[in-house]
Amino acid sequence: MASAVDVVQQIGDTAGVFAFAVSGALLAVRKDFDVFGIAVLAAATALGGGIVRDLIIGRIPPDAFTDLDYLYVSLLAAALVALWRPPRETGRWYRRTRRLRLTRWLDIADAIGLGLFCVFGTRTAYEHGLGAPSAALLGLVTAVGGGVIRDLLAQRTPMILRHDTDLYALPALFGSVVTAILLHENWYRGWTALPAAAVAIVFRLLALRYHWRAPRARGSLPR
C-alpha cells in the first residue's frame, strides 16, 4: 500500500503536469498554433523538466515514457484549452483584453506548475541518492526545464534568461532549497510538501504582482 508521502507525490506530480500543460497550451493559442501545435507545446512543457531530471539521475527510460498517464493528462489539458471558446467579440480593445487575459492565466498556471515541480522534483532526486544541495538543483531543473523548452519551441527567449521578466527561477530555487532542508532533516512529510510548494507559488505570484526582478550587471545600458 502506498504511503501518504507517495500519494501526495503522485497527486502533486499530476497537478503539476496539468498546470504546466495548460501554460504551454495557452502560449500556443497566443502564438496561433493549430491543435497539433497546442498538444505538442503542452506536452513538451509538462514533461520536459521531468525528462531532463530523470536522464540526469539515471532513471532510464524516464517516467514520461513508462507512465503514460502523465502524457494523457497533458493532452487533456491541451484539449480543454483548444476547445475553450471565448465570447465572440471583435475590435482592437477586445483583442488586447483577450491577450492580457491569456497572459494572466498563463502566468498563474505556470506558477502552480513551478511550485509543485520544484518540490516533487527535489524529492525524486533526493530519493535517488543525491545529496540535499544536488537534489535542490535538480528540483530547480525540473521546475524550469519545461518552461525553457516551451519558450524555445515558441521562439521566445526563455524567461529565466531575460532581464525584463519578473523573478522566475528564484521562487523555484527557494522552494527546492526548503524541500531539500526538510528531506535532509527528516522533516519531509506529505503535509509539509504542500506548504513548501505553496511558498514557491506565492513567491512567484508576488513577483508577478509587484514586478520583482533580478538586478542587471553594473554598467548595463537600457534597451
Side-chain angles (χ1 to χ4, degrees), residues 16 27 41-42 52 61-62 71-72 74-75 97 106 114 121 172 183 198 206 221:
L27 180 58
L41 203 61
V52 173
L71 176 61
Y72 299 150
S74 66
L75 294 179
T97 302
L106 192 159
L114 192 79
L183 289 163
L206 287 174
L221 297 176

Side-chain angles (χ1 to χ4, degrees), residues 27 30-31 106 147-148 150-159 162:
L27 180 58
R30 278 194 57 185
K31 292 288 186 177
L106 192 159
V148 171
R150 175 197 64 208
D151 291 344
L152 291 174
L153 289 176
Q155 296 183 332
R156 301 197 313 181
T157 301
M159 285 192 291
R162 293 169 53 186

